Amino acid sequence: MSVKAFAAKLFAKRIHVKTQKWVTNPIETQQKVFEELIKEATHTQFGKDHDFGSIKSHSDFIRKVPVRDYEGLKHYVDKVVKGEENVLWKGKPLYFAKTSGTTSGAKYIPLTKESMPFHIQAARNAILSYINETGKADFVSGKMIFLQGSPILEEKNGIKLGRLSGIVAHFVPKYLQKNRMPSWETNCIEDWETKVNAIVEETIKENMTVISGIPSWVQMYFEKLQEKANKPVGEIFKKFNLFIYGGVNYEPYRAKFENLIGRKVDSIELFPASEGFFAYQDSQKEKGMLLLLNSGIFYEFIKADEFFTEYPKRYTIGEVELGVNYVLIISTNAGLWAYNIGDTIQFTSLKPYRVIVSGRIKHYISAFGEHVIGKEVESALKEAMEGTDVRVNEFTVAPQITPTEGLPYHEWFIEFENEPTNLEEFALKIDAAMRKQNVYYDDLIVGNVLRTLVITKVPKNGFQEYMKSIGKLGGQNKLPRLSNDRKIAQFFEIKE
């Protein structure tokens, strides 16, 4: 064992002990975070507008501060962007994480000197947690790659801005700088396809031990590696044994990845966002990711099926239940207050609090009242693929409300790596799995409101072409698993 690996094990143990202090006191930890956030922001413009000085409890907070999304907070953010101080949080932010907006164009998410360290610590602690549990640390001596956005930052009224992954690149610890790839120059390439080709050239002869990124874009990197070397990624990188990912569920990609790598590798799931780093996988044995309760974020949870009612109940950490689909609401030391980030989660454990990301509150299909969510379509596809040679590169689902003939249906657009021998039989398998999971969907099939789902094959690289057409190829951009309209579907209809 190298000195570096030995030191990593010692550090991992120390961080584990530190983490357990708040893990074993979750409710008290969250209460302390809540009180500190209110205290620190009392004299900000937002704090004054919402009478933070009189907030003594969560029920006070609910009365004073409504749940908002970016649009609801935008008039405050606009003031911060203009350079005003003490608006949402004390002083000015260090950075703005620039993300793609929906109705408002670009979104500017503030990152403060208080919030920024937690983004870095969480990513580090995820790896240390893995080392502490498994005892595996030799990988720290090899090369590591993080597929991310460009680290080149712009400036707006004295505040630097860029993609979150690009901002984080400026905070890589010195002890990782020599191990980290790609080079700064390659990382700065804006065009994703050019960038991936350059990364392949830089890494193909290196001792890569850790690879990290959103699965769909890492898949593209792996395919190009395999094409160039004409052998599996696991043979190119013989000591590659750890894949770190976030942003989307890995399960639909797992079979494809194992085929590209040529063997199984350990994986660590992360739950980062511009608004905060919420959770990481702390165990290779247990399902879900550890919710970070001591990271300057106060969490509230609203049941997804109540979210669009007039006064949905806002639950705190001590009130949540297993298996319920919750909309995640956050208040942070970056100045986001009762903020709906758009993600839905479910708890897989309450001791400690572990979660899975179940989808997006805006990404669902309920054209007929079926309330289908991302987790359900991913689980159904996984179940249908079990015990087969079928492999899927990418997929999305949309409702077909006005078919040219027959009943309406859900249309699954799937890009296969290995197609099923019988497409209709495979569709029936997915449909059966969906009906088991979702009683509303089952009722609609039984009641002849919907017919069983239809699969439309997408040509190779079809989804990459779609993402390129909307200017979202690569980086941290993700394809929606499902949508309640046919905007994505129309792209493939036009192609036909």
Side-chain angles (χ1 to χ4, degrees), residues 18 25 84 105 118 137 147 195 211 214 267 296 312 375 385 482:
K18 192 175 177 181
N25 294 285
E84 290 186 32
F118 288 113
L147 293 180
K195 182 172 185 170
I211 294 171
I214 290 176
S267 60
K375 177 179 175 290
M385 289 167 64
L482 69 181

Side-chain angles (χ1 to χ4, degrees), residues 49-157:
D49 289 349
H50 295 80
D51 197 16
F52 273 24
S54 70
I55 294 177
K56 307 299 179 189
S57 65
H58 179 235
S59 56
D60 290 341
F61 184 71
I62 290 171
R63 282 195 299 273
K64 302 284 186 183
V65 185
V67 172
R68 294 177 170 95
D69 57 12
Y70 186 82
E71 297 303 314
L73 210 59
K74 188 174 183 295
H75 65 288
Y76 285 103
V77 176
D78 286 346
K79 291 181 179 183
V80 183
V81 173
K82 287 176 184 174
E84 290 186 32
E85 295 188 18
N86 304 313
V87 178
L88 287 164
W89 190 252
K90 57 190 180 181
K92 288 184 179 184
L94 288 179
Y95 301 93
F96 287 117
K98 188 178 179 182
T99 69
S100 301
T102 49
T103 57
S104 61
K107 295 197 296 186
Y108 297 93
I109 307 298
L111 297 165
T112 63
K113 68 177 182 180
E114 289 81 10
S115 72
M116 196 67 225
F118 288 113
H119 284 273
I120 312 307
Q121 287 173 23
R124 179 201 70 187
N125 290 355
I127 297 174
L128 293 174
S129 181
Y130 170 82
I131 292 172
N132 184 69
E133 183 191 40
T134 65
K136 298 174 184 176
D138 288 341
F139 65 85
V140 300
S141 300
K143 297 282 187 177
M144 306 179 187
I145 188 168
F146 301 90
L147 293 180
Q148 56 192 191
S150 171
I152 296 173
L153 304 179
E154 303 170 49
E155 196 167 292
K156 205 170 185 73
N157 296 318

Side-chain angles (χ1 to χ4, degrees), residues 157-363:
N157 296 318
I159 301 171
K160 291 181 178 178
L161 65 95
R163 300 287 179 186
L164 176 66
S165 59
I167 293 169
V168 169
H170 292 262
F171 289 84
V172 175
K174 286 185 179 177
Y175 61 84
L176 281 182
Q177 292 285 10
K178 289 182 180 178
N179 297 58
R180 187 174 178 277
M181 299 195 80
S183 66
W184 185 268
E185 292 75 21
T186 296
N187 221 7
C188 290
I189 298 171
E190 287 290 346
D191 180 74
W192 184 251
E193 289 173 290
T194 306
K195 182 172 185 170
V196 172
N197 287 328
I199 292 171
V200 168
E201 292 298 327
E202 277 193 3
T203 58
I204 198 164
K205 293 182 180 178
E206 296 289 346
N207 173 30
M208 305 303 301
T209 56
V210 178
I211 294 171
S212 174
I214 290 176
S216 52
W217 308 121
V218 175
Q219 178 180 312
M220 186 175 172
Y221 167 58
F222 282 175
E223 286 171 342
K224 286 180 179 291
L225 277 169
Q226 192 180 62
E227 186 182 320
K228 186 170 179 65
N230 201 27
K231 56 185 176 182
V233 173
E235 285 186 32
I236 301 169
F237 306 137
K238 296 191 186 313
K239 294 185 178 179
F240 165 48
N241 278 301
L242 183 59
F243 173 51
I244 304 173
Y245 68 95
V248 297
N249 184 4
Y250 180 42
E251 288 310 316
Y253 300 93
R254 190 178 292 276
K256 167 73 173 174
F257 267 56
E258 287 175 3
N259 180 256
L260 284 167
I261 297 165
R263 54 183 164 82
K264 292 185 178 183
V265 298
D266 287 348
S267 60
I268 302 174
E269 183 175 8
L270 311 178
F271 185 11
S274 299
E275 296 87 352
F277 203 123
F278 308 122
Y280 61 73
Q281 184 180 343
D282 68 318
S283 174
Q284 294 292 300
K285 301 168 189 170
E286 304 295 332
K287 185 181 181 184
M289 296 173 282
L290 182 69
L291 188 64
L292 304 180
L293 303 175
N294 192 35
S295 296
I297 302 170
F298 176 70
Y299 298 97
E300 296 174 277
F301 311 90
I302 297 175
K303 291 180 179 178
D305 57 6
E306 298 175 2
F307 184 74
F308 294 107
T309 60
E310 192 172 0
Y311 297 110
K313 181 172 171 57
R314 290 156 65 175
Y315 297 89
T316 56
I317 194 68
E319 302 170 300
V320 297
E321 304 168 62
L322 293 174
V324 175
N325 205 36
Y326 291 105
V327 179
L328 187 63
I329 308 298
I330 60 168
S331 296
T332 77
N333 55 6
L336 301 177
W337 300 103
Y339 186 87
N340 170 24
I341 65 167
D343 287 318
T344 58
I345 56 103
Q346 290 179 7
F347 285 89
T348 59
S349 164
L350 302 182
K351 285 188 176 180
Y353 287 95
R354 291 196 182 100
V355 300
I356 57 169
V357 180
S358 54
R360 299 276 294 168
I361 194 63
K362 289 182 179 178
H363 292 170

Side-chain angles (χ1 to χ4, degrees), residues 400-467:
Q400 176 50 274
I401 300 169
T402 54
T404 51
E405 57 180 332
L407 292 171
Y409 53 89
H410 285 187
E411 187 169 10
W412 288 57
F413 293 86
I414 304 179
E415 182 184 326
F416 290 102
E417 174 71 15
N418 271 6
E419 289 185 27
T421 51
N422 187 321
L423 198 64
E424 287 185 12
E425 190 179 294
F426 187 68
L428 287 172
K429 278 187 180 180
I430 300 175
D431 207 71
M434 281 298 305
R435 292 174 67 177
K436 276 193 296 182
Q437 291 184 89
N438 188 308
V439 66
Y440 304 109
Y441 182 74
D442 184 54
D443 286 345
L444 290 166
I445 298 288
V446 172
N448 287 322
V449 177
L450 291 177
R451 61 177 160 123
T452 53
L453 65 87
V454 173
I455 294 175
T456 296
K457 291 190 290 185
V458 172
K460 185 171 174 58
N461 300 323
F463 285 109
Q464 286 183 22
E465 284 183 30
Y466 167 72
M467 295 298 278

